[in-house]
Amino acid sequence: MKFHQAGDKSKAICEDCGSVVPATFAYRDVPFDDGNGVAKDVLAIVCDNCDRVVALPAPSTPAVVRARKAAEIPLEVSLTAPEMDLLDLAAFRIDPQAGTKLRKTLIAYFLRRLSEDSDSILRLQQNCLNFKKQRSSAAGIPSRRLSLKLAPRTNDNIRALMQSTGLKKSQLIRGVIGEIQEVLVLPDHPKELGKIREIADLITA
Ligand SMILES: [Zn+2]
């Protein structure tokens, strides 16, 4: 990608002039894409004939796209305290300071991985069964409520995995926690800890 600066020359179609025109990169106030207000001093491509903003170079587009509140879909599942502890222990290994912030990141990350992995179905079902055995072998385990707000694409992964595994939502989340346990909690030196830490850094930054 070429990095343009103010003063660089270009050509563009200008609607006002009705033709291809010589144009120049320059800083202009550009309306936000939702029409409410302007983004100040954005590098734009301006018609040399009439001074209309005729195009925006790619690096300038984030400045004028209004950050939209992504639609969030609530996820509410009942877990046992040990299941929740596993999730929090994995989060602690990634970042001891993150508190409960990484719960969602971990669940979403693993849901995506699992939905891309054709061997995951049996593992998820098996994990879910293991947790069920633990629950029935110990009486008086407190329950915990996992309550998250998910992006639509994460919710899509949940629905697809529920279909392919035949698990209910809470069972699927248990299956995912089982996978997190395998990858991040049980190994002394989890292979993927570094990679997942980098992702988590981006999110908690
Ligand atoms: Zn023009």
Side-chain angles (χ1 to χ4, degrees):
M1 184 184 277
K2 189 169 186 324
F3 184 72
H4 284 287
Q5 300 184 47
D8 285 357
K9 292 289 175 189
S10 180
K11 274 185 167 46
I13 293 172
C14 176
E15 281 178 37
D16 285 355
C17 299
S19 62
V20 176
V21 295
T24 306
F25 284 77
Y27 288 96
R28 290 288 186 276
D29 293 348
V30 178
F32 285 118
D33 66 337
D34 64 3
N36 292 319
V38 293
K40 295 262 179 209
D41 290 332
V42 176
L43 190 62
I45 303 171
V46 178
C47 173
D48 285 352
N49 298 337
C50 71
D51 207 42
R52 179 193 166 108
V53 172
V54 286
L56 274 188
S60 291
T61 50
V64 299
V65 174
R66 265 285 163 73
R68 286 186 184 80
K69 206 170 165 13
E72 291 183 320
I73 297 160
L75 172 78
E76 297 272 346
V77 289
S78 177
L79 300 173
T80 64
E83 288 159 0
M84 188 73 108
D85 288 346
L86 276 172
L87 182 60
D88 286 343
L89 190 55
F92 183 86
R93 281 194 109 167
I94 292 166
D95 178 2
Q97 309 295 325
T100 57
K101 225 176 184 176
L102 286 174
R103 281 180 183 167
K104 173 169 128 168
T105 312
L106 272 173
I107 297 271
Y109 174 74
F110 276 87
L111 276 167
R112 207 199 61 189
R113 267 170 62 130
L114 288 161
S115 57
E116 287 167 354
D117 172 7
S118 53
D119 297 329
S120 68
I121 294 169
L122 191 63
R123 282 208 312 278
L124 285 167
Q125 291 169 335
Q126 192 62 50
N127 292 345
C128 186
L129 213 62
N130 292 342
F131 281 127
K132 198 175 172 189
K133 275 191 206 134
Q134 285 174 19
R135 280 203 303 285
S136 54
S137 68
I141 298 180
S143 58
R144 298 265 190 275
R145 194 125 199 101
L146 178 66
S147 174
L148 304 172
K149 296 240 191 295
L150 302 177
R153 65 169 187 285
T154 301
N155 196 54
D156 290 346
N157 288 337
I158 290 180
R159 282 165 50 190
L161 282 167
M162 281 169 69
Q163 281 263 299
S164 60
T165 58
L167 296 173
K168 287 188 239 159
K169 198 177 275 183
S170 60
Q171 293 175 321
L172 174 66
I173 298 302
R174 289 197 168 94
V176 173
I177 291 176
E179 179 85 0
I180 292 173
Q181 179 183 21
E182 287 292 325
V183 174
L184 287 177
V185 178
L186 292 180
D188 285 336
H189 303 285
K191 279 202 298 271
E192 300 181 60
L193 194 57
K195 181 177 138 200
I196 295 174
R197 234 174 224 157
E198 278 179 21
I199 297 166
D201 277 352
L202 287 175
I203 287 165
T204 55

